[in-house]
Amino acid sequence: MKHDREMVKTIPLKNVYINGSFWADYIELVRKEVVPYQWDALNDNIPDIEPSHAIRNFKIAAGMEKGEFHGMVFQDSDVAKWLEAVGYLLAREEDAELEQRADEVIEIISNAQREDGYLNTYFILKEPGREWTNLCECHELYCAGHMIEAGAAYYQATGKTKLLQVAVKFADHIYEVFGPEEGQTQGYDGHQEIELALVKLYEVTLDEKYLQLSRFFLLERGKQPHFYDIEAEKRNGSHHFPGKMMIEDKSYSQAHALVTEQKEAAGHAVRFAYMCTGMAHVADKYKDEKLLAACRRLWRNVVDRQMYITGAVGSQSYGESFTIDYDLPNDTAYAETCASIGLIFFANRMLQIEPDREYADVLERALYNTVLAGMSMDGKEFFYVNPLEVEPQAAEESRRYDHVAPVRQGWLTCACCPPNVARLIASLGQYIYTVMEETIYTHLYISSDAKITLNNKEVLLSQQTNYPWDGNVEITVTPEAEAVFALALRVPAWSEEVELFINDQAQALPMPEESGYILLSRKWKPGDKIRLQLSLPIMLMQAHPRVRHAAGKTAVQRGPVVYCLEEADNGANLHNIFLQSSQSFNIKEGSEHFRGLKIITGEGNKKPADHWGEKLYKAQETIPPQTMPLTFIPYFSWANRGRGEMKVWIQTNI
Amino acid sequence: MKHDREMVKTIPLKNVYINGSFWADYIELVRKEVVPYQWDALNDNIPDIEPSHAIRNFKIAAGMEKGEFHGMVFQDSDVAKWLEAVGYLLAREEDAELEQRADEVIEIISNAQREDGYLNTYFILKEPGREWTNLCECHELYCAGHMIEAGAAYYQATGKTKLLQVAVKFADHIYEVFGPEEGQTQGYDGHQEIELALVKLYEVTLDEKYLQLSRFFLLERGKQPHFYDIEAEKRNGSHHFPGKMMIEDKSYSQAHALVTEQKEAAGHAVRFAYMCTGMAHVADKYKDEKLLAACRRLWRNVVDRQMYITGAVGSQSYGESFTIDYDLPNDTAYAETCASIGLIFFANRMLQIEPDREYADVLERALYNTVLAGMSMDGKEFFYVNPLEVEPQAAEESRRYDHVAPVRQGWLTCACCPPNVARLIASLGQYIYTVMEETIYTHLYISSDAKITLNNKEVLLSQQTNYPWDGNVEITVTPEAEAVFALALRVPAWSEEVELFINDQAQALPMPEESGYILLSRKWKPGDKIRLQLSLPIMLMQAHPRVRHAAGKTAVQRGPVVYCLEEADNGANLHNIFLQSSQSFNIKEGSEHFRGLKIITGEGNKKPADHWGEKLYKAQETIPPQTMPLTFIPYFSWANRGRGEMKVWIQTNI
């Protein structure tokens, strides 16, 4: 296998500075609210929520404090994700106080690491001697993966190697323990994560053994006789999570078949998405067509048959998992925030392999809807579950909604989602561009300044845009000197009309390639200005005719942003509101809670309810529907005004 | 309290002979298929289903065989329900072979009963010494109740007292063990049933202590400190069903509040309905206005807010229970067959207190829809769960439908429903009439000959009707001699036009009373003929505007029969079919599977699906809907042609 610097296709985060309001505001929210809040949570300084104990676990393991382990078996990963987010923030700008705080944590972690490289406070404190005996359930490699990601991110941001050394030492230990040789364990983790982390470690260290180990874990998965059964037998069948079927239900962790043989998204959605992310990158590095074909196949299944219009995946609470094709209930959806983050990781890795706008379209769908919905607009509360329809009283009292919260929650016992949102937003700069040979691909439209290396020369790209509210994007291209190269600009699938100007001159628009990018190959001079005008129509979206739960309904979407109705604007009983298929709508500037956002207004019909009375069922009365004004808000901004009904898919007369 | 024969308001089953085709065919199905099939099931003679072991448990307890107890803690009740059904069949007509078989079982049961009257094979065989230590979970009084019901029914049918003696001896033992005195247990069963059974035992024996005991159990329920906690503490907190929350969740068994204080239907739907049945009758016998007010209040809550259009109740799988007002999902409904049977019991007891057509309307709704749907048309397979919408692949593979079967099943491990259907159908003659003072109330229109005692004289009433397919009912009235009395005829709420003839002379129709009955008070001569013509319009039903899951949808109903679409007639993707609110329909004679039934045909619109392609979401296309012929079949007859989609509530343009 060949690998050299030319093959690195991402732009280092340090070289991309997001400005403008939309995303820069979110990143600042992460810096000012989310990361400090999470710091307090990790240190058990937030009243009224269950103590995390995560930092204390490390201090105890490091011998700095006395006490016992507390928390989930994967508690360590919360600290790692926090450090990773801090790394991304420090890559953006210096923050001495934050860096010092992180360095102190890293010192503790380093002291907690065992001499042989092993690092997991649960096993060190609670079950010493039982390391690597229950991979299926106990998340050891999952936690390792997060620590590796943190080490890589922190090194890339600060140049400091201490956490990277911890990661390398741990990865080297894992490389000893796991592998195809006799005396090594032929196994893999019940929660995929190490696979994608090892690729990141390879990208930082260029040490190919990490890539090999990632491939080993991926290709080992699902082999018979089954690893979960082998290790369970060695443990005499003991369980860490007794009620859960992790061992028995192999598909829960996508271990029911070889990864190259899997045809449909199944099982726990986060595990699935993390696995696919690792698969995509390993497939690329090894030019493994079979693995790549599996990635494409699984992508197709998700995107064509198992994804909500909000980019959410995992339609059932049981196992936080996928179900079957076209089975996408709106109210009982699981639709975990972390799963959409995983889908973004997967899409990003696929974009690095083959620039195709569909990957970026889906990435944006997940990002602008489910991921942003996962966090309150003040950055302090979080949704783990993101249904597309909520009736609060039912959500609170009817047990089939046990997993649904009608308002966002603080830090939870299983606190996977909040730090995941933080690290994604803080690292968003990495998702805007990729470079492939002589071409710079622009996938996302985000106001930013980027420094991109092409043929060992630098090109500065400065984007100015009010996207996603506005389809105008200005890009100033500043190569070190005049140079011939190509810029590829994504035209999202929903943008039907596109205009392009270079230095204010309208361009005969080159047809977008089949992949959905306009390719501008020319000699670029410093200061060349591109203006791209994407149309942003308000779209009444329909779902595939096989989606039962969206039948007879439409959803309002503009650009990548899906809209919803809330009770606060439209009254209760949203289910009685009907749209006409010929409906027209207007864009309006949001105010108060929605300042800076665009809302959508229009008219709908509502079945009159006043004269109904008490009877539960009656022969139809022909009372004409009443027209009423409707206000749609971006789905991601729902539930920021307290408890109330919300609905994405609205009934529509055909 | 006064009680004498005049107060008995039901007609002995022996005095009502159902003929005509609809119900007589069902009763014969119970005789020829259900009861023999269940006999084989109880005796473990049916391959491919889990052995019941229920008869063997009794044989072992009787010392007639060696072995251990197997089955659920309430396994005995299956045998009791079978005997009760046999009793009802023998009341209809002699069947020496069946009677002999039943007598043999009764002999075994009698031998299994302990000297002190105690009878429960689980505790006798498996936990001797632990009797009455876990009322909350272990169904001892529930099983006792079923044995009492069987004893009463078998005695009333055959005049044989052996099983009645078993019941009396057991009830007397219970009367010793439970009660308000020191040394007695102040407790009650976790599954209501004994309460209504004791009323039946009172009705047969006229021994008031059984009524007192029933009232004791009812009024004890929900008192603080809580009986479940007291007995659990005595057991050091041990559980019979560890995963279940029966002890902690008091509302599961309606023990969260005094029965007189309960305002809404909550918890396990069968328990609730059985409790209300007992409450109604005890309220009546004791003229307990507070208890009666609770019955009316709980009835109103169910009927106005928590009942499916099919008369099903219990909208969630968790705890097979009620949820909250207007929360009636169609696809994830639990809607247990037994719960609708319980609702019929409750309605019937309320009818005996206050003739009001609503009780009978609801009784018919439950009977002609959910209860009949509970059994296949060949009497061999059963639904426990009766959703109003099924997509078979999702039902089989998506875990939120774990409780839903897309086709009926044979005998199950928890075999409550099949024998419950059998005993209800076999005893249906008891539900047609009640007598109150000088008035004979006709609640149900069923071809039958009934011998009714009024003022110590007999009146023969012969009904001829093709109800529910036809609204014409002929009743021949034959008193012993000319006599003045009143006949009250129910006018169902859905029947808008009514004509009435007496001896072929049109009658100026007396206004139905507020309660919905036409009162015909006159001197009746032998052979007087009443002809009642009820209109039976096809109704497009709507649900209350707060029912989210029926919003924008209509259901087709004619008379008490609710209709549905099936895939076999209308193709797949039933969710894409739309009705127009101005839709007109036609009645047709059914053929093949539906011989003897009426089906409904008409036209609908279907969203075209052919040109859609693979994309999961698209901006709306304005392809005109295609018209298509629709065939609706009675809901109760669905899933008799194999696996396929079914839908009751159909989308409708407003």
Side-chain angles (χ1 to χ4, degrees):
Chain A
M1 200 208 71
K2 209 166 156 289
H3 59 85
D4 50 40
R5 277 322 226 173
E6 274 84 61
M7 295 204 48
V8 174
K9 292 159 186 165
T10 51
I11 315 304
L13 187 58
K14 288 192 82 134
N15 293 355
V16 184
Y17 189 85
I18 290 176
N19 50 44
S21 65
F22 191 88
W23 284 110
D25 285 355
Y26 266 108
I27 295 169
E28 287 312 304
L29 196 62
V30 167
R31 176 190 307 280
K32 290 187 183 135
E33 294 293 341
V34 187
V35 161
Y37 179 86
Q38 293 180 354
W39 174 252
D40 285 335
L42 291 170
N43 285 281
D44 313 331
N45 290 331
I46 298 184
D48 303 330
I49 64 164
E50 206 176 323
S52 154
H53 212 264
I55 299 276
R56 271 191 39 86
N57 288 337
F58 278 104
K59 286 183 179 167
I60 297 164
M64 299 163 65
E65 289 191 17
K66 297 274 174 219
E68 288 178 5
F69 178 91
H70 282 293
M72 306 293 282
V73 71
F74 45 81
Q75 208 75 353
D76 287 3
S77 64
D78 291 345
V79 179
K81 280 195 270 188
W82 182 83
L83 280 170
E84 188 185 344
V86 169
Y88 297 139
L89 291 178
L90 295 177
R92 177 176 170 82
E93 66 185 45
E94 291 183 7
D95 182 332
E97 191 186 330
L98 187 59
E99 187 167 336
Q100 190 193 336
R101 182 173 284 175
D103 285 339
E104 286 167 14
V105 175
I106 291 166
E107 187 67 28
I108 297 164
I109 291 172
S110 174
N111 289 337
Q113 186 170 35
R114 272 195 340 217
E115 204 45 55
D116 63 358
Y118 185 82
L119 177 59
N120 182 300
T121 68
Y122 175 84
F123 282 94
I124 289 173
L125 297 177
K126 200 158 176 180
E127 296 206 48
R130 299 241 177 127
E131 301 83 354
W132 312 128
T133 58
N134 188 348
L135 274 288
C136 173
E137 295 182 305
C138 289
H139 294 68
E140 275 165 294
L141 291 172
Y142 168 88
C143 289
H146 278 300
M147 200 57 80
I148 291 167
E149 286 198 88
Y154 202 76
Y155 163 72
Q156 287 174 320
T158 62
K160 291 181 180 172
T161 58
K162 183 148 210 163
L163 191 59
L164 183 62
Q165 283 167 354
V166 168
V168 163
K169 195 171 165 187
F170 196 3
D172 289 349
H173 175 66
I174 294 165
Y175 188 77
E176 293 292 314
V177 174
F178 294 89
E181 305 297 330
E182 216 182 300
Q184 290 184 302
T185 299
Q186 284 83 57
Y188 45 90
D189 204 80
H191 196 316
Q192 301 90 322
E193 153 65 23
I194 187 82
E195 300 83 356
L196 73 86
L198 286 168
V199 175
K200 286 191 174 181
L201 190 59
Y202 159 76
E203 288 172 341
V204 171
T205 63
L206 293 181
D207 187 339
E208 204 180 320
K209 75 178 173 194
Y210 302 127
L211 210 50
Q212 285 168 15
L213 185 56
S214 175
R215 183 169 65 166
F216 169 78
F217 284 135
L218 287 168
L219 300 185
E220 200 63 21
R221 199 165 203 89
K223 279 190 183 169
Q224 292 293 347
H226 204 282
F227 172 63
Y228 294 167
D229 299 325
I230 293 168
E231 63 163 9
E233 202 182 316
K234 286 187 191 157
R235 293 192 314 273
N236 298 315
S238 74
H239 279 254
H240 182 83
F241 294 109
K244 312 247 178 195
M245 301 291 281
M246 292 179 184
I247 299 172
E248 293 75 11
D249 181 0
K250 309 285 195 286
S251 70
Y252 171 74
S253 56
Q254 298 80 37
H256 56 299
L258 297 178
V259 299
T260 50
E261 302 295 322
Q262 295 185 26
K263 289 175 178 58
E264 286 160 3
H268 187 256
V270 177
R271 284 168 166 82
F272 170 85
Y274 283 17
M275 175 180 82
C276 290
T277 305
M279 282 166 67
H281 216 61
V282 168
D284 185 33
K285 296 287 184 197
Y286 285 96
K287 302 293 167 235
D288 183 333
E289 287 302 323
K290 204 169 161 191
L291 200 54
L292 184 57
C295 291
R296 291 194 185 113
R297 200 165 56 227
L298 293 172
W299 173 269
R300 286 257 64 80
N301 179 255
V302 170
V303 168
D304 289 346
R305 303 191 169 193
Q306 297 209 61
M307 179 183 70
Y308 288 94
I309 195 167
T310 53
V313 288
S315 66
Q316 70 183 347
S317 166
Y318 174 89
E320 304 171 345
S321 63
F322 289 97
T323 62
I324 57 171
D325 291 355
Y326 303 116
D327 184 44
L328 295 162
N330 297 305
D331 56 348
T332 59
Y334 200 79
E336 187 178 342
T337 309
C338 283
S340 286
I341 292 172
L343 185 61
I344 289 172
F345 294 161
F346 183 23
N348 184 49
R349 286 297 191 192
M350 291 304 288
L351 269 181
Q352 291 172 21
I353 296 172
E354 45 193 13
D356 183 314
R357 70 170 168 200
E358 189 192 53
Y359 296 122
D361 287 356
V362 169
L363 191 159
E364 282 192 338
R365 199 181 272 290
L367 179 66
Y368 282 101
N369 300 294
T370 301
V371 174
L372 284 188
M375 186 168 74
S376 61
M377 290 164 95
D378 64 5
K380 289 179 179 167
E381 291 180 323
F382 302 89
F383 277 135
Y384 294 71
V385 166
N386 296 280
L388 282 76
E389 182 175 324
V390 170
E391 196 288 298
Q393 199 197 348
E396 285 159 359
E397 299 186 35
S398 177
R399 301 299 300 258
R400 72 185 180 286
Y401 300 122
D402 271 358
H403 57 294
V404 174
V407 290
R408 292 176 184 80
Q409 313 285 300
W411 201 265
L412 297 192
T413 316
C414 175
C416 50
C417 298
N420 232 351
V421 173
R423 70 179 180 137
L424 177 73
I425 290 176
S427 65
L428 196 61
Q430 288 183 326
Y431 295 80
I432 301 174
Y433 300 105
T434 58
V435 175
M436 193 169 275
E437 295 172 359
E438 305 291 295
T439 306
I440 301 172
Y441 282 88
T442 307
H443 304 298
L444 303 184
Y445 298 113
I446 291 177
S447 286
S448 57
D449 293 321
K451 190 166 67 184
I452 296 170
T453 304
L454 194 74
N455 297 327
N456 297 316
K457 290 193 178 131
E458 280 188 354
V459 180
L460 302 180
L461 290 183
S462 174
Q463 273 197 48
Q464 288 303 314
T465 180
N466 192 28
Y467 191 93
W469 311 121
D470 181 321
N472 292 339
V473 183
E474 280 198 12
I475 303 175
T476 307
V477 185
T478 309
E480 285 180 28
E482 278 193 8
V484 174
F485 60 91
L487 263 174
L489 304 176
R490 166 174 157 255
V491 178
W494 40 259
S495 194
E496 287 173 357
E497 290 166 30
V498 183
E499 289 179 88
L500 184 77
F501 300 83
I502 297 182
N503 297 327
D504 291 328
Q505 289 198 312
Q507 304 290 305
L509 197 70
M511 279 299 288
E513 297 186 328
E514 208 181 321
S515 63
Y517 290 77
I518 298 171
L519 197 66
L520 302 174
S521 184
R522 53 179 271 162
K523 183 180 283 185
W524 294 96
K525 299 187 304 295
D528 276 348
K529 277 201 193 319
I530 302 167
R531 197 165 84 243
L532 178 70
Q533 289 183 196
L534 301 168
S535 64
L536 272 182
I538 296 171
M539 296 177 290
L540 289 191
M541 302 296 288
Q542 292 185 342
H544 191 284
R546 286 194 57 197
V547 180
R548 295 191 307 291
H549 297 89
K553 294 173 181 166
T554 51
V556 175
Q557 183 181 338
R558 182 169 178 264
V561 179
V562 174
Y563 283 74
C564 66
L565 295 179
E566 264 200 318
E567 184 177 344
D569 302 306
N570 305 287
N573 298 318
L574 297 177
H575 54 269
N576 289 328
I577 294 175
F578 273 77
L579 303 179
Q580 301 299 333
S581 51
S582 58
Q583 193 72 48
S584 76
F585 290 101
N586 305 305
I587 312 285
K588 266 180 65 178
E589 289 294 332
S591 58
E592 295 182 48
H593 285 86
F594 307 109
R595 197 186 309 279
L597 316 183
K598 302 271 194 205
I599 60 171
I600 292 179
T601 61
E603 242 182 26
N605 294 312
K606 194 164 185 181
K607 187 175 144 180
D610 332 1
H611 308 298
W612 183 274
E614 283 297 315
K615 281 255 171 278
L616 194 45
Y617 304 104
K618 293 202 291 196
Q620 195 168 49
E621 297 174 13
T622 44
I623 301 173
Q626 296 157 345
T627 60
M628 65 173 284
L630 297 179
T631 299
F632 290 83
I633 60 165
Y635 170 77
F636 72 77
S637 67
W638 86 275
N640 277 283
R641 293 174 291 179
R643 186 179 170 280
E645 291 180 30
M646 181 277 293
K647 204 167 193 290
V648 169
W649 287 103
I650 312 300
Q651 303 209 59
T652 307
N653 283 336
I654 62 170
Chain B
M1 198 208 74
K2 207 167 157 284
H3 58 84
D4 50 40
R5 278 321 228 174
E6 273 85 61
M7 295 204 49
V8 175
K9 292 159 189 166
T10 52
I11 316 304
L13 188 57
K14 287 192 83 135
N15 293 355
V16 184
Y17 189 86
I18 290 176
N19 49 45
S21 64
F22 191 88
W23 283 109
D25 286 355
Y26 265 109
I27 296 170
E28 287 312 303
L29 198 62
V30 168
R31 177 190 308 281
K32 290 187 183 134
E33 295 293 341
V34 187
V35 161
Y37 178 87
Q38 293 179 354
W39 175 252
D40 285 337
L42 290 170
N43 285 280
D44 312 332
N45 289 332
I46 298 184
D48 303 329
I49 64 166
E50 206 176 320
S52 153
H53 212 264
I55 299 277
R56 269 189 44 82
N57 288 337
F58 278 104
K59 287 183 180 167
I60 297 163
M64 298 162 66
E65 288 190 17
K66 296 272 174 220
E68 287 177 5
F69 177 92
H70 282 293
M72 307 293 282
V73 71
F74 45 80
Q75 207 75 354
D76 288 1
S77 65
D78 291 346
V79 179
K81 279 195 271 188
W82 181 83
L83 280 169
E84 188 187 343
V86 169
Y88 297 140
L89 291 177
L90 295 178
R92 177 176 170 81
E93 66 184 44
E94 290 183 9
D95 183 332
E97 192 186 328
L98 186 58
E99 188 167 336
Q100 192 195 334
R101 183 173 284 175
D103 285 340
E104 286 167 15
V105 175
I106 291 167
E107 187 67 29
I108 296 164
I109 291 171
S110 174
N111 290 337
Q113 186 169 34
R114 272 195 339 217
E115 203 45 52
D116 64 358
Y118 185 82
L119 177 60
N120 183 300
T121 68
Y122 175 84
F123 282 95
I124 289 173
L125 297 176
K126 202 159 174 179
E127 296 205 50
R130 299 241 179 128
E131 300 84 354
W132 312 128
T133 58
N134 188 347
L135 273 289
C136 173
E137 295 181 306
C138 289
H139 294 69
E140 276 165 293
L141 292 172
Y142 168 87
C143 289
H146 278 300
M147 200 57 79
I148 291 167
E149 286 198 88
Y154 201 75
Y155 163 73
Q156 286 173 319
T158 62
K160 291 181 180 172
T161 58
K162 184 148 210 162
L163 192 59
L164 182 62
Q165 282 168 354
V166 168
V168 163
K169 194 172 165 185
F170 196 3
D172 290 349
H173 176 68
I174 294 166
Y175 187 76
E176 294 291 316
V177 174
F178 292 89
E181 306 297 330
E182 217 182 299
Q184 290 185 303
T185 300
Q186 286 84 56
Y188 45 87
D189 204 80
H191 196 315
Q192 302 90 321
E193 155 64 22
I194 187 82
E195 299 83 356
L196 72 89
L198 286 168
V199 175
K200 285 190 175 182
L201 189 59
Y202 159 75
E203 287 171 341
V204 171
T205 63
L206 294 183
D207 186 340
E208 205 179 321
K209 74 178 176 194
Y210 303 127
L211 211 50
Q212 284 169 15
L213 185 56
S214 175
R215 184 171 62 166
F216 169 79
F217 284 135
L218 287 168
L219 300 186
E220 201 63 22
R221 199 164 204 92
K223 279 189 184 168
Q224 294 292 349
H226 205 283
F227 173 63
Y228 295 169
D229 298 326
I230 294 168
E231 62 164 9
E233 203 181 316
K234 287 188 190 155
R235 293 193 314 271
N236 297 315
S238 74
H239 279 253
H240 181 85
F241 294 110
K244 313 248 176 189
M245 300 291 281
M246 292 179 185
I247 299 171
E248 291 77 10
D249 181 0
K250 309 285 193 290
S251 69
Y252 171 74
S253 55
Q254 298 80 38
H256 56 299
L258 297 178
V259 298
T260 49
E261 301 295 322
Q262 297 187 23
K263 289 177 178 54
E264 286 160 2
H268 187 256
V270 177
R271 285 169 165 81
F272 170 85
Y274 283 17
M275 176 180 81
C276 290
T277 305
M279 282 167 67
H281 216 61
V282 168
D284 185 32
K285 298 285 184 198
Y286 285 95
K287 302 292 168 236
D288 183 334
E289 286 303 320
K290 204 169 162 191
L291 200 54
L292 184 58
C295 289
R296 291 195 186 111
R297 198 165 60 228
L298 293 172
W299 173 268
R300 284 258 64 78
N301 179 253
V302 170
V303 168
D304 288 347
R305 303 190 168 194
Q306 298 210 59
M307 180 183 71
Y308 288 95
I309 195 168
T310 53
V313 289
S315 66
Q316 70 184 346
S317 166
Y318 174 89
E320 306 171 345
S321 63
F322 290 96
T323 61
I324 58 170
D325 291 355
Y326 304 115
D327 184 43
L328 295 161
N330 298 305
D331 55 349
T332 59
Y334 200 79
E336 187 178 342
T337 309
C338 284
S340 286
I341 292 171
L343 186 60
I344 288 172
F345 295 161
F346 182 23
N348 184 48
R349 287 297 191 192
M350 291 304 288
L351 270 182
Q352 291 172 22
I353 296 173
E354 45 192 13
D356 184 314
R357 71 171 168 200
E358 189 190 54
Y359 297 121
D361 286 356
V362 169
L363 190 160
E364 282 193 338
R365 200 181 272 291
L367 180 66
Y368 282 101
N369 300 295
T370 301
V371 174
L372 284 188
M375 186 168 76
S376 62
M377 288 164 97
D378 65 5
K380 289 180 179 166
E381 290 179 324
F382 302 90
F383 277 134
Y384 294 71
V385 166
N386 296 281
L388 282 75
E389 182 175 324
V390 170
E391 198 287 296
Q393 199 197 349
E396 285 160 358
E397 298 185 37
S398 178
R399 300 299 301 258
R400 73 185 178 286
Y401 300 121
D402 272 359
H403 58 294
V404 174
V407 290
R408 292 177 184 80
Q409 313 285 300
W411 201 265
L412 298 193
T413 315
C414 174
C416 51
C417 298
N420 233 352
V421 173
R423 70 179 180 136
L424 177 72
I425 290 176
S427 65
L428 196 61
Q430 289 183 324
Y431 295 80
I432 302 174
Y433 300 105
T434 57
V435 175
M436 192 168 274
E437 295 173 358
E438 305 290 292
T439 306
I440 301 171
Y441 283 86
T442 307
H443 304 298
L444 303 184
Y445 297 113
I446 292 177
S447 287
S448 57
D449 294 320
K451 192 165 67 185
I452 296 171
T453 303
L454 196 73
N455 298 327
N456 297 313
K457 290 191 178 135
E458 280 188 353
V459 179
L460 301 181
L461 290 184
S462 174
Q463 272 198 49
Q464 288 302 316
T465 181
N466 192 28
Y467 192 94
W469 310 122
D470 181 320
N472 292 339
V473 183
E474 279 198 12
I475 304 176
T476 307
V477 185
T478 310
E480 286 180 28
E482 278 193 8
V484 174
F485 60 90
L487 265 174
L489 305 175
R490 167 177 157 253
V491 178
W494 40 258
S495 193
E496 288 174 356
E497 290 167 30
V498 182
E499 289 180 89
L500 184 77
F501 300 83
I502 297 183
N503 298 326
D504 291 327
Q505 291 198 309
Q507 305 289 305
L509 198 68
M511 280 299 288
E513 298 186 327
E514 209 180 321
S515 63
Y517 289 77
I518 297 172
L519 197 67
L520 301 175
S521 184
R522 52 179 273 161
K523 182 179 283 184
W524 295 96
K525 298 187 305 292
D528 275 348
K529 275 199 195 320
I530 302 167
R531 198 164 84 242
L532 179 70
Q533 288 183 197
L534 302 168
S535 64
L536 273 181
I538 297 171
M539 297 176 291
L540 290 190
M541 302 296 289
Q542 292 186 344
H544 191 285
R546 287 195 56 198
V547 180
R548 295 192 307 290
H549 297 91
K553 294 174 181 166
T554 51
V556 175
Q557 183 181 339
R558 182 169 178 264
V561 180
V562 173
Y563 283 74
C564 67
L565 295 179
E566 265 202 316
E567 183 176 346
D569 302 306
N570 305 288
N573 297 320
L574 296 177
H575 54 268
N576 289 328
I577 293 175
F578 273 78
L579 303 180
Q580 300 300 333
S581 51
S582 57
Q583 195 70 49
S584 74
F585 289 101
N586 304 306
I587 311 286
K588 265 180 64 176
E589 289 294 331
S591 58
E592 295 182 49
H593 285 86
F594 306 108
R595 196 185 310 279
L597 316 183
K598 303 271 193 203
I599 61 172
I600 293 178
T601 61
E603 241 183 24
N605 294 312
K606 195 164 185 181
K607 188 176 144 179
D610 331 1
H611 309 298
W612 183 274
E614 284 297 315
K615 281 256 171 276
L616 194 45
Y617 304 104
K618 293 202 291 198
Q620 196 168 47
E621 297 173 13
T622 44
I623 301 173
Q626 296 157 347
T627 61
M628 66 173 284
L630 297 179
T631 299
F632 290 83
I633 60 164
Y635 171 77
F636 72 77
S637 67
W638 87 277
N640 277 283
R641 293 173 292 179
R643 185 179 172 282
E645 291 180 30
M646 182 276 294
K647 204 167 193 292
V648 169
W649 287 103
I650 311 300
Q651 303 208 60
T652 306
N653 283 336
I654 62 169

